[in-house]
Amino acid sequence: MVVSFPDGSSREYPEGTTALDIARSISQGLARKALVCRFAGGLMDLAAPLPGDGALEILTFDDPEGRDAMRHSASHLLASAVQKLYPGTRLGIGPAIEDGFYYDMDIPGFPGGEALEAVEAEMRRQAAADLPFVRREIGVEEARRIFSERGETCKLELVEELAARGEPLSVYQHGDFLDLCRGPHVPSTGRIRHFRLLSVAGAYWRGDEKNAMLTRIYGTVFDSPAALAEHLRLLEEARRRDHRRLGQELGLFTTGGDGGPGLIYWLPDGAIVREELERLWKDAHRSQGYRLVVTPHIAPSGLWKTSGHYDYYRDNMYFLPVDDGEYVLKPMNCPGHIIVFRSAKRSYRDLPLRLAELGTVYRHEKSGVLHGLMRVRGFTVDDGHIFCTPDQIIDEVKSVVRFALYFLGIFDFGYSIELSLCDPGNMCHYAGDASQWCLAEPALARALDEMGEEYRTVKGEAAFYGPKIDIKLRDAIGRFWQGPTIQFDFNIPARFDLTYTGPDGGEHRVFMVHRALFGSLERFIGNLVEHYAGNFPGWLAPLQVIILPITSAQHEKALETASGFRAAGLRCSVDRRSETVAFRIREAENRKVPFMLVIGDREAASGAVSLRRHGEGDQGSMPVGQALDLILSACRRPDLPDGGEFQSAEIR
RNA sequence: GCCGGCGUAGCUCAGUCGGCAGAGCAGCGCACUCGUAAUGCGCAGGUCAUCGGUUCGAUUCCGAUCGCCGGCUCCA
């Protein structure tokens, strides 16, 4: 048979040759690193004889499919170790996931997290035994027999489902452990060496809360000790940066307890960060031609019936009785902006009309999903709605994307863009008519193309009310977060019958774009805290300068210097406590104050200060004026985005 | 919402197999006047989350409630 390779070459091999044989014939190194292979388009075990002619690709941990096979194999190893230690364990599923694997099991008498070490030790024993993963294809009858003998009720459920869909069944075995599994797997347990079990959690069978709760054990696996150590270090780093911990340590916010779960109380220092962000946001929006509006927190429920939220979103809404009627605490800002739009008859000359608001909304999130600043019940959306004509779409989308990237640039976030389109085979599930989608979808893509931005297109991921662009932001340690989002809405303009008068004198349906750049201020600040590990850039730092007189003899000088700095617009305080300089420096470092000015006799006498930068240490002594200039430029607010074309005079 | 874990001083956490509640930091007072990441001494601080039960006696055991943490899409 003839096998071809990714480099374009091909060779002839005898029948029954396996990918592992071929890997060995190429190099021992490749054979050692090889995990699975792709043959004629499908993934296969290395140990399986190749079924005929075809293109072969040998996959290692460097390939996503190789990684998945390693992770998935590790999950089998985990399950077999648990079954050995806890006889009677019933298996759920155990897939590879991003960064690792898990296995869901019903484990009789499982003591929880404290058992992980013992399970890991058993996994190492089985790995050391280097048991081969053996694949066998079986019929439905045999599958039923095998899994009912073993009391594997979950597996039986899967067998029936797969049989009903007519899919072939296969099992994998290593040692005594047998699992229903599509594969592929790495050749043997000996390949699984650099792993660690991480946590235990409950998880419903098939993710459905009506089903039984199984025990889920999470782990991770790599191809080298260094890669595993690096991953564990990253996890530790993430814990260190946790915004809940830093929020407490730095006195930024508090939540939960008496204050109510999912509600954020901004402490004075956190409020400064938020205020600075809001100020920049407002100024930047004005510069981009947005009109800022303010809309109420509550509105009669009729408004929400028109918008459709009342029917589709009511589980997440808070209701309040007002007089004889029912009001709703707003879960979204759009209806408010629609009332603003409708407050006057609109002409095509008014468009695009860009409305924006830092609008605080309340949504009843399930108690179990609440998480620090990231998932809350009350939050402020940096909301904007653009009302425009069809031929303005491309320019508007471009300007919003450019605007979003301006903010990401300010904070040194990386990003990746996703374009979510409808599923063309399923148009009945979507609001608006096909002509609107046909206009908007290519316009979104074209806007991105014209800007030269790379993006991933995901069909079927659009909201029912319109296509959207999502920008994921990548933080300093490589994690992705939900970032700016730009969404078309074909639903609401129709529900509220929003129109404008065209040049032809007729009424036309207005196009509406919903966009948020931070998403929510709460979540965004949470992202910033973790991104910067609490070390805010100068302009956001709650306290920018702290002055440390060495003895009380310099107090007056210190106060005088501080008031000069404050007059220059800096947030500056003096630490006059009767503590050693070392102690006060330690505190200022822990508070992550970017600049510390030490004033002793020498400085006081010569009009100098000794400058110390957070995390960098002593910068030496310099004249006060020089220190002030240096700090002012380090704490300067970012420039506004270009917006020359939006002089206020041009806004009608 | 559900499963599991947790809830002790402002914060971080010990402890009590049922018998007067502990430390460090923070706070307050006193002394110290100090040169780049913790000066010393003292004082104060608690309905042991809340409510109910068992008990001679509950912070400890049991139950409920509230809150926090981990997880509940990633298809054998």
Side-chain angles (χ1 to χ4, degrees):
Chain A
M1 63 192 186
V2 180
V3 175
S4 63
F5 297 99
D7 66 1
S9 67
S10 59
R11 271 183 67 182
E12 177 130 13
Y13 292 94
E15 294 297 317
T17 301
T18 68
L20 194 57
D21 296 332
I22 295 177
R24 282 205 195 95
S25 76
I26 295 172
S27 83
Q28 273 308 310
L30 181 61
R32 220 174 14 251
K33 285 176 65 188
L35 296 173
V36 290
C37 67
R38 193 197 324 272
F39 185 72
L43 293 175
M44 278 181 58
D45 294 330
L46 289 177
L50 299 177
D53 295 348
L56 175 70
E57 208 179 327
I58 294 187
L59 302 168
T60 70
F61 199 81
D62 298 329
D63 303 292
E65 297 86 353
R67 277 198 290 277
D68 278 357
M70 172 79 97
R71 289 167 180 158
H72 184 57
S73 299
S75 86
H76 276 220
L77 187 61
L78 162 62
S80 66
V82 170
Q83 244 178 6
K84 176 96 180 265
L85 297 176
Y86 299 92
T89 291
R90 221 156 38 89
L91 303 176
I93 58 168
I97 54 172
E98 200 184 331
D99 291 338
F101 59 90
Y102 68 77
Y103 215 111
D104 285 348
M105 295 164 278
D106 177 27
I107 314 174
F110 190 67
E114 69 216 51
L116 289 185
E117 251 176 75
V119 173
E120 217 178 278
E122 174 59 24
M123 287 172 72
R124 288 190 200 291
R125 269 195 293 281
Q126 294 190 19
D130 199 18
L131 307 163
F133 281 97
V134 180
R135 176 191 178 93
R136 203 152 60 81
E137 301 195 355
I138 57 174
V140 179
E141 278 314 316
E142 191 184 354
R144 284 189 185 126
R145 188 176 51 73
I146 290 176
F147 291 107
S148 53
E149 269 171 14
R150 295 175 170 241
E152 296 286 8
T153 50
C154 294
K155 294 294 181 189
L156 280 171
E157 201 180 312
L158 295 171
V159 166
E160 292 311 325
E161 248 184 56
L162 293 165
R165 274 191 274 150
E167 292 190 33
L169 299 175
S170 56
V171 293
Y172 273 82
Q173 185 160 11
H174 69 270
D176 301 333
F177 178 80
L178 179 108
D179 195 0
L180 178 69
C181 180
R182 180 176 48 196
H185 276 284
V186 301
S188 65
T189 58
R191 299 301 189 102
I192 307 162
R193 295 172 59 199
H194 312 292
F195 60 87
R196 176 74 66 85
L197 296 182
L198 296 173
S199 62
V200 180
Y204 298 105
W205 168 235
R206 323 210 76 177
D208 186 335
E209 60 186 64
K210 289 192 284 295
N211 289 337
M213 175 73 62
L214 302 175
T215 300
R216 171 173 297 182
I217 300 179
Y218 282 95
T220 191
V221 60
F222 287 88
D223 65 335
S224 74
L228 175 63
E230 172 60 14
H231 182 71
L232 295 176
R233 193 192 64 76
L234 223 61
L235 290 180
E236 178 54 37
E237 179 66 17
R239 266 190 290 279
R240 199 176 67 76
R241 288 169 179 253
D242 191 315
H243 72 283
R244 293 166 301 181
R245 173 199 172 112
L246 286 167
Q248 159 76 20
E249 280 173 15
L250 300 177
L252 301 178
F253 67 93
T254 183
T255 180
D258 288 347
L263 300 174
I264 304 300
Y265 293 74
W266 290 99
L267 306 178
D269 280 357
I272 289 174
V273 176
R274 183 177 164 133
E275 221 176 86
E276 287 294 341
L277 279 177
E278 290 182 357
R279 269 230 300 271
L280 180 71
W281 185 92
K282 286 181 182 172
D283 291 345
H285 276 71
R286 287 189 196 99
S287 83
Q288 294 302 103
Y290 285 82
R291 319 292 322 274
L292 301 190
V293 298
V294 179
T295 65
H297 291 84
I298 61 173
S301 52
L303 186 62
W304 303 97
K305 285 177 180 155
T306 307
S307 74
H309 291 112
Y310 196 90
D311 290 330
Y312 294 107
Y313 206 70
R314 61 172 310 137
D315 286 350
N316 285 304
M317 300 197 319
Y318 294 104
F319 299 93
L320 18 149
V322 173
D323 295 332
D324 291 334
E326 183 183 52
Y327 274 56
V328 169
L329 194 49
K330 70 173 168 184
M332 310 200 154
N333 296 304
C334 352
H337 291 187
I338 278 163
I339 289 189
V340 173
F341 178 86
R342 281 201 317 204
S343 65
K345 186 138 176 65
R346 300 296 178 179
S347 135
Y348 71 98
R349 296 173 196 275
D350 295 321
L351 305 182
L353 178 66
R354 309 185 189 91
L355 300 179
E357 174 179 17
L358 292 168
T360 302
V361 299
Y362 292 87
R363 299 179 188 172
H364 183 91
E365 301 286 353
K366 289 184 190 175
S367 62
V369 305
L370 302 175
H371 181 88
L373 294 173
M374 303 298 190
R375 195 77 184 269
V376 294
R377 285 180 172 164
F379 55 98
T380 301
V381 182
D382 68 313
D383 224 338
H385 294 92
I386 299 172
F387 301 88
C388 67
T389 66
D391 54 0
Q392 289 168 333
I393 292 175
I394 292 180
D395 280 346
E396 286 308 303
V397 171
K398 276 159 80 173
S399 81
V400 176
V401 171
R402 203 176 299 124
F403 198 12
L405 298 184
Y406 154 80
F407 276 111
L408 299 193
I410 284 176
F411 302 108
D412 291 318
F413 281 118
Y415 64 91
S416 78
I417 302 180
E418 276 177 20
L419 173 60
S420 300
L421 305 178
C422 66
D423 172 3
N426 231 337
M427 282 315 287
C428 51
H429 288 130
Y430 296 100
D433 57 61
S435 68
Q436 289 175 312
W437 287 80
C438 291
L439 207 66
E441 290 194 342
L444 287 174
R446 216 179 116 193
L448 292 172
D449 289 337
E450 286 179 14
M451 295 180 71
E453 291 294 336
E454 287 188 9
Y455 57 93
R456 203 161 64 89
T457 302
V458 240
K459 281 214 160 37
E461 280 300 298
F464 82 91
Y465 52 79
K468 60 179 180 172
I469 292 173
D470 282 321
I471 303 181
K472 310 282 180 206
L473 39 95
R474 196 181 67 246
D475 73 9
I477 57 173
R479 297 172 301 175
F480 281 91
W481 303 91
Q482 176 65 47
T485 166
I486 304 163
Q487 312 185 342
F488 262 79
D489 192 334
F490 299 134
N491 186 44
I492 283 202
R495 284 178 162 271
F496 283 91
D497 191 23
L498 300 185
T499 59
Y500 65 94
T501 310
D504 58 358
E507 293 299 305
H508 303 272
R509 175 73 69 232
V510 72
F511 271 59
M512 180 169 154
V513 177
H514 170 110
R515 42 111 288 173
L517 305 184
F518 293 158
S520 96
L521 277 170
E522 284 74 9
R523 190 181 62 201
F524 192 74
I525 293 174
N527 290 152
L528 285 181
V529 169
E530 303 209 356
H531 179 55
Y532 291 125
N535 303 304
F536 289 109
W539 68 284
L540 285 176
L543 183 62
Q544 295 165 320
V545 190
I546 190 159
I547 299 182
L548 309 171
I550 288 185
T551 72
S552 46
Q554 297 90 36
H555 279 184
E556 205 174 316
K557 191 75 186 174
L559 291 170
E560 192 185 296
T561 309
S563 62
F565 275 50
R566 277 195 288 264
L570 290 167
R571 295 184 284 273
C572 175
S573 75
V574 181
D575 185 351
R576 281 184 293 171
R577 290 175 303 169
S578 166
E579 300 285 355
T580 61
V581 191
F583 177 85
R584 286 174 290 157
I585 283 178
R586 180 183 155 80
E587 287 220 326
E589 288 284 354
N590 287 340
R591 283 178 70 186
K592 304 183 190 294
V593 182
F595 295 97
M596 288 150 268
L597 300 180
V598 177
I599 302 183
D601 272 336
R602 291 201 296 273
E603 289 80 8
S606 63
V609 291
S610 171
L611 180 75
R612 185 187 166 96
R613 286 187 87 133
H614 170 58
E616 294 174 27
D618 193 355
Q619 310 286 301
S621 157
M622 63 183 72
V624 180
Q626 190 186 333
L628 178 59
D629 288 345
L630 192 154
I631 294 172
L632 274 176
S633 80
C635 295
R636 207 165 60 96
R637 197 175 84 158
D639 292 330
L640 294 178
D642 291 341
E645 68 267 42
F646 300 118
Q647 295 306 313
S648 55
E650 291 181 22
I651 294 175
R652 278 160 57 102

